[in-house]
Each structure stands twice: as structure tokens, then as C-alpha cells.
Amino acid sequence: MNEDRVILFDGVCNLCNGAVQFVIKNDPKGKFKFTSLQSQFGQQQLKKYNINFQDFSSFVLIENNKPRLKSTGALYVLKNLRGFFPLLFVLILVPKFIRDWIYDQIAAKRYQWFGKRDQCMVPTPDLQSRFIN
């Protein structure tokens, strides 16, 4: 299984699940695989890279054995999508502390604004190969 680009996301967060659907739609070549932060594989990856996210409030991209967190991870995902989305990678020039502050503000309110599921997203059979359990 190719695990060069794995996105770890909060499996019960509606915003995060929407982001996964967005990536799937704009990644027709299937460059990215997905797993929830709550999954066994997700927890193993957090441990492997010494990332402590007890509250699952971060988006993590692991690309070529390098974790990219929060806004940096999101921008690297956009860089690899089709359409005009790679142009948004220019936002990497914004200082990380500013990008991550904005990210943290949204992450803190994501359940309030977008809601929360009772359980992690279950992929449809046609998308199952994109998810790591």
C-alpha cells in the first residue's frame, strides 16, 4: 500500500469530513490516503512522529515520512490538487504563527460552527481503498 501521502483528520468533525470529501473530489489520481486521528493507524502515526494531539484538533499530512501540521499540512495538500488550488500555496509565505493562529481559531470553534458526528466517517465501498484503518 502506498502511504507516501496520508492525511490524518478528526473523524467525528463535520468540517474535517467535508475537507476529506473536498480532497477526494479534487484528487482524481488518488495521491492521498486518509485515516482518522482516532484510528489505530492514526494513533500509531502520532506516536511515531511524537505528535501529541489528545483533543484531535489538528490536521496532519504525512508526506514522505515528514509530518506537516495545521495550516502547513493543508497548504501542502492544496499544492497537490487539480485546478487552481495549487496557486493557494503562495499562502505559505504568510508567517506560520499567523497561519496557525487562524487555523487554531477555526479548530477551536469547528464543532460549534459545523457540528460533530457520533462516530467516525465510514467510507463508501468505492472509496474504501483510499482509507487506512
Side-chain angles (χ1 to χ4, degrees), residues 84-122:
F84 72 90
F85 297 109
L87 297 175
L88 295 174
F89 190 71
V90 72
L91 294 172
I92 201 81
L93 298 173
V94 174
K96 185 180 183 311
F97 76 92
I98 294 172
R99 288 186 282 114
D100 281 350
W101 181 84
I102 294 168
Y103 179 97
D104 289 338
Q105 299 308 303
I106 295 168
K109 303 269 188 194
R110 71 190 187 283
Y111 294 148
Q112 179 182 346
W113 292 342
F114 300 98
K116 183 177 177 180
R117 298 169 181 231
D118 291 330
Q119 57 185 341
C120 290
M121 180 178 100
V122 177

Side-chain angles (χ1 to χ4, degrees), residues 35-44 120 132-133:
T35 193
S36 71
L37 290 161
Q38 294 91 339
S39 72
Q40 182 178 355
F41 182 81
Q43 288 294 300
Q44 288 170 347
C120 290
I132 303 168
N133 294 328

Side-chain angles (χ1 to χ4, degrees), residues 39-88:
S39 72
Q40 182 178 355
F41 182 81
Q43 288 294 300
Q44 288 170 347
Q45 295 305 296
L46 295 176
K47 187 175 183 179
K48 177 180 177 180
Y49 294 107
N50 296 317
I51 301 169
N52 185 11
F53 288 108
Q54 304 257 336
D55 63 358
F56 306 115
S57 66
S58 186
F59 173 95
V60 179
L61 169 65
I62 299 173
E63 185 174 27
N64 298 320
N65 292 314
K66 180 177 181 180
R68 293 189 166 101
L69 311 177
K70 299 183 180 188
S71 65
T72 303
L75 288 172
Y76 273 89
V77 169
L78 290 172
K79 180 181 178 183
N80 286 283
L81 299 180
R82 70 176 177 189
F84 72 90
F85 297 109
L87 297 175
L88 295 174

